[in-house]
Amino acid sequence: MANRVTFLVDGFNLYFSVRHAETALGTSHLRWLDVSELLSSFLYLFGRDAILEGIHFFTALPFHRHRYDPGVVQRHERHLQALKASGIHLHVADFKRKSLSCPHCGREIERFEEKETDVALGVKAIELLHLDACDTLVVVSGDTDFAPAMRAAKRLFPEVQVCVAFPHARFNAELQQIADFSFRIRGARYAEHQLPDPVRLPDGRIIRRPRDW
């Protein structure tokens, strides 16, 4: 009987891991990442009967950055289109504006925070397990915010293997302790798994790798 493996990807945690790897490896061309191929390359860790059941990618588009970097949203959207074409399920949330008061001068400070992504990933994990949609669940992140969802998954579905894949430079000891199994993704693996350029979408359109990606 096959071991159905599903990956839940914290998109921004992975993105900043890739940026860190670019600095560590002395390059600026790792962001056109083929997430499907990258994660599929780790299936052997789950046994000979492991098959890829699905990849769910959770992220948000940084519209608030547009005034500083007019092309930022377009670049991310292009990558998401390429990921969707590779068979990945996308879950795209928003950044919400939040006003804070400086404790020293009282001046109001505007900040934008990614909202719903953590909750959406946790809810999807429980949904998949409730529907018996996978035998192994892998959270791709080093963010401790996912600890409650992982604990709940293990408590409610003890027959399912709950794992964590730590992106480069994103190790988290708490998540490692909760998980049944964990592994790290080396920065060099990003260079080995890049999307083709150009990518042909199912509707025939062609998209190209953004400059400096």
Side-chain angles (χ1 to χ4, degrees), residues 202-213:
D203 61 7
R205 287 182 297 144
I206 297 293
I207 56 173
R208 294 191 174 276
R209 181 180 195 137
R211 180 182 295 183
D212 297 331
W213 270 50

Side-chain angles (χ1 to χ4, degrees), residues 13-195:
N13 199 265
L14 180 60
Y15 174 79
F16 286 111
S17 168
V18 171
R19 295 302 304 269
H20 189 283
E22 287 180 336
T23 300
L25 298 174
T27 181
S28 60
H29 298 285
L30 298 181
R31 278 163 277 172
W32 196 235
L33 186 64
D34 191 332
V35 176
S36 182
E37 275 200 2
L38 172 68
L39 298 180
S40 294
S41 72
F42 291 104
L43 282 175
Y44 74 94
L45 295 174
F46 303 101
R48 292 183 178 181
D49 60 345
I51 61 170
L52 178 63
E53 184 67 22
I55 299 173
H56 293 264
F57 191 90
F58 299 81
T59 190
L61 290 172
F63 286 100
H64 62 287
R65 296 287 304 168
H66 181 76
R67 55 180 165 175
Y68 308 109
D69 184 357
V72 63
V73 173
Q74 183 183 37
R75 292 193 297 271
H76 282 279
E77 284 182 326
R78 200 179 303 179
H79 188 224
L80 292 179
Q81 287 179 312
L83 294 183
K84 184 176 181 180
S86 73
I88 289 177
H89 305 282
L90 300 180
H91 305 266
V92 184
D94 298 312
F95 279 88
K96 301 294 186 181
R97 184 172 64 181
K98 184 176 182 179
S99 295
L100 302 174
S101 295
C102 175
H104 303 291
C105 67
R107 181 182 177 184
E108 188 174 90
I109 303 170
E110 184 181 73
R111 292 184 59 185
F112 288 84
E113 296 182 352
E114 183 184 1
K115 291 294 184 182
E116 299 182 7
T117 298
D118 295 355
V119 173
L121 190 152
V123 169
K124 177 57 69 173
I126 301 302
E127 176 189 349
L128 291 171
L129 298 182
H130 174 70
L131 295 174
D132 188 27
C134 64
D135 305 297
T136 296
L137 188 71
V138 186
V139 175
V140 184
S141 180
D143 190 341
T144 192
D145 287 347
F146 298 119
M150 289 176 60
R151 289 193 184 97
K154 285 175 60 64
R155 184 177 66 253
L156 297 174
F157 305 93
E159 71 282 4
V160 175
Q161 184 175 218
V162 178
C163 307
V164 60
F166 295 114
H168 165 79
R170 291 295 182 271
F171 174 74
N172 184 288
E174 183 178 2
L175 295 186
Q176 183 187 49
Q177 186 175 22
I178 297 169
D180 295 310
F181 174 73
S182 68
F183 62 94
R184 304 192 196 198
I185 303 174
R186 295 182 296 107
R189 295 294 286 265
Y190 300 149
E192 298 169 1
H193 298 284
Q194 294 289 299
L195 288 161

